[in-house]
Amino acid sequence: MAGLELLSDQGYRLDGRKATELRKVQARMGVFAQADGSAYIEQGNTKALAVVYGPHEVRMSRSKTLHDRAVINCQYSMATFSTAERKRRPHGDRKSTEMSLHLKQTFEAAVLTNLYPRSQIDIYVKILQSDGGNYSACVNAATLAVIDAGIPMRDYVCACTAGFVDETPLADLCHAEESGGGTSLALALLPRGGHIALLQMDARLHQDHLETLMEAAMTACKGVSKVLDQVVRQHLQEVSALTGE
Amino acid sequence: MIKTEKVLHLKSSRGRKVRVVREHYLRELVPCYSSLCQAECANEGKVLSADVTHYVVPDAGVTRDFMEILEFREIQGLVFTQTACQAVQHSRGRRQYNRLRSLLKDPRHDCVLFANEFQEYSYCPREKGEPQDKWQTRCVYQAAVWYHDHLAGLKPVVMITEDQGAVAEYSSLNCGVYVLSTLEYLRTFWPELQAAHELYGSIAQALRERGNEGTEREFAEHLPAEVLEAGIKSGRYTQGTLNVNKHRAQHEAFVRFDGSSNKNSELDSDVLVWGGKNRNRAVHGDMVAVELLPKGEWRGRTTALTEGQGEEKGEESQGQPMPTGRVVGILQRNWRDYVVTFPPREETQSQGRNSLRILATPWDQRIPKIRISTHQADTLQDHRVIVRLDSWDSTSLYPNGHSVRVLGRAGELETEVQTILIENCIHIAPFSEAQLREMPASSPERPWTVDPAEVVTRRDLRDTHLVFSIDPRGCEDVDDTLSVRSLPPGPQGPRLELGVHIADVTHFVKEGTLTDLEARARATTYYLADRRYDMLPAVLSADVCSLLGGVDRYAMSVMWDLDAQTLQVNRVWYGRTLIRSSYQLYYEQAQALLNGEEAEVPELAQLPPEERDHKLSHLIEALETLTQVARHLRAQRDQGGALELEGVEVRAQLDEDKNITALVPRQPLEVHETVAECMIYANHWVARKIQERFPQQALLRHHPPPRQEFFTQLQDSARALGFTIDTRSNKALADSLDQAVDPQDPLVNRLLRVMATQAMSNALYFSTGACPVDQYYHYGLALDRYTHFTSPIRRYADVIVHRLLTAAIAVEEGARPAKASASNKELEEMAQHINNKNRAAQHAQKVSMELFQCLYFRDKDPETAECCDAVIYAIRTNGVLVFIPQYGLKGALYLRNREGQVVRVSQDGRCVWEAGSLQRSLDHVSTTTASGTSTFRLFQHVTVRVSVQTSRCHADTLHLELVSNRAHRAPEPPDRTPRAAPPQGTRGRSQLVQEVVRQAEEALLQAEEKKGRVSELSKEEREFRQSKTPNLYSLLEEVREQALLDLTACGAVGGGPDLGTAARPCATSA
């Protein structure tokens, strides 16, 4: 179809949101008892599950051991049923390797790794349903899982995407918007200090617009962080109620 | 917000069905855009007025099929639903959707869009198994009910639908919400809107007919859009615009690529689409996808001249085989309104069984005949009617259409002029009451005066500067004035101050007002041969904005502080001013003053002699300084490579009966050029200013360098005479053109310049953000930045530039601009719009000129018809192209007629038709018959007779006939002699100006004569820089029509190394 209208003249997006509105975010922590930390998040129709093991001693190969801090090991995968067309997704294909690497970089910037020398932290993330913004859902899920595991971080890492259509920045793109052409920028932010943990964009964008786009992405990330914070607090309340006083 | 989900079934790229789940967010607060809103919706922008009897909500089917009816401005209180809009977008494509969007944006039309699918209570999810159209109707009904309830029942809401089931089902469900069919609605509420009723009948008829088509397949089916898209991406198909050859509309069409989309690098030329089957229902202008045929089936383009249609014979001379293809699908229809002529009764009846369907012939030869279903065939015979195309199925040989409006009987002047306007997509309604109400009041008894509050904010030049204007005699809309004075000497020596003061139109036409919207839609003043359509209402263009002599007026000024000797710019000042023009001069008068001759200056007539002499010397001094400065500026540009181009010059005068009675050559004066030069200078400096201030969104004008291949004809022709033309740069071209002078025949240089002009592309407006900096260059004027600033009264581009300049000044003074200026994208769209309108205006002007030429020649007796001198300027296989300097006409001269006979020139120079053969070479063509051989060379003078070929359905054309191979030696009217002077020195230089002047002037002159008033000439001088544009364009058009340019030039593009020889191989035909 020749070009969906991503932003109508009245300022509505395809799914009825306005330019700066996020999709609905729902999350739960501690979904698996077996793991050290786990979390499940839904950002609109994108659903991700994150599991954290560690810190534990380095199991991969001894040579990877770092003597001043912990190694972070990330693995990203997508379920075969996560997209509209069922498709086998082998481990270690280029896309997921790249995504794993991005996650690793993001969390190396956020986790206080130097507290755990010579150890390893494993973060496994799986996309259960994909509808745009896979990276940001993974980061947000992993943040919750890391918190659930009790591993100290500098701050929440909140991620969100932003796109640019008709000179207007759009927050939190869905799949139709991501694939409809145009720019998409993914940003992982440590919201309290405003530090950027990761910034990724692989389409062309005029330099003049970069600032407005980043601004929009940052605002969106801060919005996500509020939701996450609420989830964490609620989870703590529940847990403390269960364990009794 | 509430999140729901929508399940869609879509097709994947591989054609499999996929279930897609999309989120869908609903909210409670969706603005209703009605001024009656009780719930305080955030209604921004356009709102529905409260003073209508009801609101009307069309459903998806009505919006899709009957949008033309909804476009009537009388129908008010329209609420379009999102559901309906999306249905239009899906089923009718982007063009129709954009039309709907612009309708929604148009503040003159009382309609709004209600986003019903995002409203919590008006959204209804589609049920399992529910057909799409049922669901859409239900959604629209739900929206109508919500709308009614939202307004607390203050207005009845009418939903219109074509679905009788829906009428029955819903009409009694809610009180206050009525469901009617379209016909019933029109009958009930608009019984007096006759045009809408007719249009409804015509569309409904066309829709019905479409249902019962035959099943025999005439064309291959078009491929579905996904396949086309994939094919284009993979390079299997190529995407481009279909151009039908006007002279072989049945057979030959070319697909021209839009630069970027063409990945196939070996394919840098056009693709030929030969024959109706291969064209597969594409119409001229459509965006199509073509598939190349195997090389064995490639054909060349036809290079012979054709006389009308029907003489396509077996023996066709073809050029080199070029890529040939067939249309596999249509990406975007580009249908507009077409003018057709209904056939007379005899033909209708012979058409057989179904006399309801008429095949009407479009005025534009490139468009196929259109089948129209109508009951009015009898009353409409030989009338010209506006028609819209509806569909073209693979089972039908012709497209289906419906009639929209009757223009009148074919052949009547008014009908023909309307036809020209419609065919160029020019829609002009008189200025409305509301627009005129925005205008400042000014009448002869109570003239408009300046506002004291404005005086404070403007720089007052009334007492300090000698301001004067130079225009054609009798000009009413003066939009530029000049001033020059010396300043106290600075550190570098004496200084001069040169000022250009332009009418401050933007002070009166504020952005977004009705007048502004109207002016934007028109984009330019349209000049036809016998009338003109103004961009702004007369009160502005001829009075309040016009910088008339002796009255206070607002102006936008550019003033340069120059070094008196070197003309180095020390400082430039831009700003709003208040001026009083002291002298309103005309060209001849100004030139006379400069030459030291006696000239009457009416402004000084009343004064005592000493004072008069003093003032006069003051004025003359100013004029002289100005001339000095202009010479200097011109010399600077000449060094940069500015071109002098030549158009076909003809200025026709009309008498009361609108016949061309005389051809008046313009006496070119240096003062024309002086004024032109100052305007170019002002435009250039304004361009610099706005581009510096708004590097991403300034409106500039560029003239791209021509493609070298287009110069082939020029170079070949020049070589035939022993001249070489260097086309590597504009400077080289200008120099070599100056040298290519044949002392015996001054026309040679003129024709060479005409050919150089033909090779040029058009100058275009663009937004600086849309183009890399190195493409800002103006080739013809040799300036790195250029824009239009000096004629805001008749060009909308200048109005935009004025606004940009004002904003730039405001920003510099530290003020925050009140409103963000248009973004790059909006500006680029605007630039495209203005370019298109300008093109349409020029084309309309040219066609109307031709119309009058035909009228002129038609009135002459064909036997005694005037013979005139013509010059051969190009050679074709079966004839030559000639230029008639006396009338500025160009045309084809056939040396072989339909019977295959060729022209032989007998001893006394008479010409006779005899059987024989035709031999063509690069610089001459010769005919051989039993009794001898005659040769026609390039640039040879011959005598031709002009007659008119009338045509019922199309425009009349001129026909040329060879009378003798010698130059015509009729007693030349004395006024023609100056034309023959060699174009050198000042004369050559002023041709540029002269030609510009000519254009507008002739139009105005005629308009004025028509009204029987004393002359009200135009101001076109300011036009110069683009002055060339109208001509460039019209020349290109002309050439294209004669199938010249697209033969040689395009052939050249495709031919690669054989550029120059594209046309040669066909010489042996016959």
Side-chain angles (χ1 to χ4, degrees), chain A residues 1-15:
Chain A
M1 228 174 316
L4 286 166
E5 192 182 42
L6 295 182
L7 190 67
S8 77
D9 293 332
Q10 294 190 331
Y12 292 106
R13 292 157 65 174
L14 287 172
D15 50 12

Side-chain angles (χ1 to χ4, degrees), chain B residues 202-216:
Chain B
S202 151
I203 299 175
Q205 179 95 24
L207 282 175
R208 262 200 301 283
E209 291 292 333
R210 207 185 304 164
N212 45 28
E213 292 277 308
T215 46
E216 210 172 311

